[in-house]
Amino acid sequence: MTHWIIAPIILPALLAPFIVLAARYHIVIQRTFSVFGALALIVIAAGLAWQTSDGTILLYQLGDWAAPFGIVLVGDRLSTMMVLLTAVLALFVLLYAIGSGWDNRGRHFHALFQFQLMGIIGAFLTGDLFNLFVFFEVLLIASYGLMIHSGGNTRLRAGVQYVLFNLIGSTLFLFALGSIYAETGTLNMADLAARVAAISAEETVGIRVAAVLLLLVFAIKAAVVPLHFWLPSSYAEAPAPVAALFAIMTKVGAYAIIRVYTLIFPPDLSVTSGLHDLWLMPAALISLAIGMIGVLAARRLDRLVAFSIIGSMGMVMVSISLFTPAGIAAALYYIVHSTLAGAALFLICDLVRTGRGNVDLTPQPPVAGAALTAGLFFIGAIAMVGLPPLSGFLGKLLVLDAAFESDGMAWIWTVALGSSLIAIVGFSRAGSVLFWKAQSTPAPDEAEPGTAPSALSYAAIGGLIAMLGAHTVFAGHVHAYTTTIASQLFTPGPYISTVLETPGKLDTPDGDH
């Protein structure tokens, strides 16, 4: 048993109270510990990803209690990849928050940021459904505090809407957990995989209800239509660094669907047949279409980016709902891309707000740093809509190729290509209004010059763009790795045996019983 797997959860859990108790009034100390914590998190996450890259399953038994009675953390290729993605994203978001001064516009930003990381990473590493619920609640509480950071009535209203929607999801989650425990007597994922498969056909009503409820819960987290209404206002009104970090939060829902519906309720399980193709696929296609139509209809840049997140999640869910190794591999490649691209666009949106004072898509006079901001927006827009040569184009090709043999191939190709065309028009309109038409708009005599963003802000966005470039250049290697992840997911035997057959100290002859 390795203790390193709990380190990504313990590190932010310790940093957050330290920042509150020892550095509450010292922003420089807060920033220093947060940045070094993020760097340490990347190192630890990279080490875990390296350990699991050969197919090793890492297991940590809290209190040395073996599953299914004890709480376990499990690291495989999928979970460690998501932890590494979260750590990398967190570093660049944190640098932007420091460079732009967002972290100093309210109280306890860095402490809440660390608690948010704890919740997200815990959700990726837990091997127990109840603790998945617990980590969901941790990240929900921290995200609400971050969302209303620096105050404002509009932001507060959007935050209340965000919390209410997610509380509905939490309630459904508890109902689902109660149904599962009543039917199986366990909530450990590996143990559930064995017990659900052994349920007779005459006794599947309760487990079917639980499977549907879980899908609804995870669909809320992933902002799948028609459960997406909380996202546009919440992400658009949140502070830019917070919205950028939130780019990974919808992926928590996608991760949970992949994990639960390949391990506990796999596609070949008759108990839950039809959930994937009859329900999830149509919802994913509608999400893709609605998201990109929202991009075209948006009148503010922040809402445009928020709707593009819904559209990108639609593309992810289309690929996931195929529930084939090729589909899951393509979805994982696209998850990395859309997380980085979405985060970069939210930060670029804040650059526009800093220079212009607003993000309305109306012609206004040129602002300070417009050329560099325009260049970054151009790259981010190309990435998000899926134009060559960046990873968005490659990711969509992988999704379309994975769907080639499916029964719904015509629908998938039509919606994916049509929504891409709509997104191109929407982002082109936004870019031309913000940067091209601005050149011909005279500035009034009384207008004050815009504030130029800091070099650190540009460096943080440049780092995300560089990661997108690396994701493109090494697309072959990344896709090969996501293919091995998919292969591991569809052969869950080693995962189950590692979790259930590894004894704890309390199970050995020398232990106390």
Side-chain angles (χ1 to χ4, degrees):
M1 182 173 70
T2 175
H3 293 272
W4 281 108
I5 191 173
I6 200 173
I9 300 173
I10 291 295
L11 179 61
L14 293 177
L15 278 176
F18 172 81
I19 289 172
V20 171
L21 297 175
R24 181 183 304 180
Y25 304 109
H26 304 281
I27 189 64
V28 174
I29 297 177
Q30 293 180 36
R31 289 172 172 176
T32 301
F33 275 90
S34 285
V35 170
F36 277 104
L39 290 170
L41 197 59
I42 290 177
V43 173
I44 295 170
L48 293 175
W50 177 262
Q51 282 185 276
T52 59
S53 62
D54 61 353
T56 300
I57 307 292
L58 301 178
L59 178 69
Y60 184 81
Q61 301 165 329
L62 274 76
D64 282 324
W65 282 92
F69 307 105
I71 298 172
V72 295
L73 302 176
V74 187
D76 60 357
R77 291 186 179 116
L78 173 61
S79 58
T80 54
M81 186 197 81
M82 297 302 295
V83 171
L84 180 59
L85 175 61
T86 303
V88 171
L89 175 66
L91 175 63
F92 291 117
V93 170
L94 195 56
L95 291 177
Y96 185 89
I98 294 171
S100 62
W102 265 111
D103 64 330
N104 202 26
R105 299 182 193 180
R107 303 288 295 275
H108 308 307
F109 175 88
H110 291 280
L112 290 170
F113 191 89
Q114 296 299 324
F115 276 128
Q116 180 83 352
L117 291 179
M118 172 191 170
I120 295 172
I121 293 173
F124 290 142
L125 291 176
T126 184
D128 183 278
L129 279 180
F130 183 78
N131 287 285
L132 180 62
F133 167 79
V134 171
F135 283 118
F136 272 11
E137 296 310 296
V138 171
L139 67 88
L140 173 62
I141 294 170
S143 63
Y144 180 65
L146 287 172
M147 187 175 172
I148 61 174
H149 179 73
S150 82
N153 290 332
T154 304
R155 188 167 294 148
L156 182 60
R157 284 197 299 270
V160 170
Q161 180 187 29
Y162 166 79
V163 169
L164 288 177
F165 241 95
N166 280 276
L167 284 178
I168 293 172
S170 299
T171 304
L172 293 176
F173 204 166
L174 280 177
F175 288 157
L177 294 181
S179 300
I180 290 175
Y181 193 80
E183 293 292 325
T184 64
T186 184
L187 291 175
N188 180 276
M189 294 187 195
D191 198 29
L192 277 171
R195 297 195 185 195
V196 170
I199 295 177
S200 62
E202 296 79 16
E203 301 174 343
T204 60
V205 175
I207 209 69
R208 284 175 183 268
V209 171
V212 173
L213 287 176
L214 283 178
L215 188 61
L216 287 174
V217 172
F218 300 149
I220 291 175
K221 301 296 182 183
V224 176
V225 173
L227 305 172
H228 70 294
F229 294 106
W230 59 272
L231 190 145
S233 295
S234 301
Y235 280 37
E237 299 299 338
V242 176
L245 182 63
F246 281 8
I248 193 69
M249 282 179 54
T250 49
K251 311 310 184 294
V252 175
Y255 165 86
I257 290 175
I258 294 174
R259 176 68 73 193
V260 171
Y261 292 91
T262 56
L263 180 61
I264 302 173
F265 307 112
D268 57 352
L269 186 68
S270 59
V271 173
T272 54
S273 61
L275 274 182
H276 315 127
D277 49 354
L278 296 181
W279 296 101
L280 190 56
M281 177 62 80
L285 289 172
I286 296 172
S287 299
L288 177 55
I290 292 295
M292 295 314 177
I293 291 172
V295 167
L296 184 61
R299 292 294 177 264
R300 288 172 48 190
L301 184 60
D302 49 9
R303 291 186 69 85
L304 180 148
V305 178
F307 274 105
S308 72
I309 295 293
I310 295 175
S312 69
M313 281 307 301
M315 179 63 74
V316 168
M317 297 309 300
V318 165
S319 193
I320 290 174
S321 59
L322 295 170
F323 274 97
T324 61
I328 297 297
L332 294 175
Y333 181 89
Y334 200 83
I335 280 174
V336 176
H337 156 78
S338 62
T339 300
L340 298 173
L345 283 171
F346 275 120
L347 299 183
I348 293 167
C349 179
D350 193 58
L351 292 183
V352 174
R353 181 183 285 106
T354 300
R356 301 178 67 187
N358 62 72
V359 289
D360 296 334
L361 295 180
T362 54
Q364 295 183 25
V367 297
L372 182 53
T373 303
L376 293 172
F377 177 81
F378 179 70
I379 297 172
I382 286 178
M384 183 57 79
V385 302
L387 288 176
L390 293 180
S391 52
F393 175 72
L394 301 176
K396 287 190 175 181
L397 282 183
L398 292 173
V399 174
L400 295 177
D401 182 62
F404 191 77
E405 299 294 335
S406 71
D407 295 335
M409 186 269 286
W411 280 105
I412 295 172
W413 279 54
T414 300
V415 174
L417 296 177
S419 63
S420 295
L421 178 60
I422 294 173
I424 291 171
V425 175
F427 273 96
S428 298
R429 176 182 66 88
S432 64
V433 169
L434 289 171
F435 304 109
W436 180 55
K437 290 184 179 180
Q439 301 301 320
S440 58
T441 304
D445 294 336
E446 65 276 11
E448 296 182 2
T451 303
S454 69
L456 185 57
S457 298
Y458 280 119
I461 298 174
L464 290 171
I465 298 295
M467 295 303 297
L468 279 173
H471 194 50
T472 305
V473 172
F474 298 103
H477 298 286
V478 176
H479 183 246
Y481 188 68
T482 60
T483 301
T484 63
I485 294 175
S487 176
Q488 188 178 53
L489 289 170
F490 282 92
T491 53
Y495 181 103
I496 296 171
S497 61
T498 299
V499 173
L500 296 182
E501 297 176 10
T502 302
K505 284 185 179 179
L506 298 175
D507 298 311
T508 61
D510 296 330
D512 297 323
H513 296 274

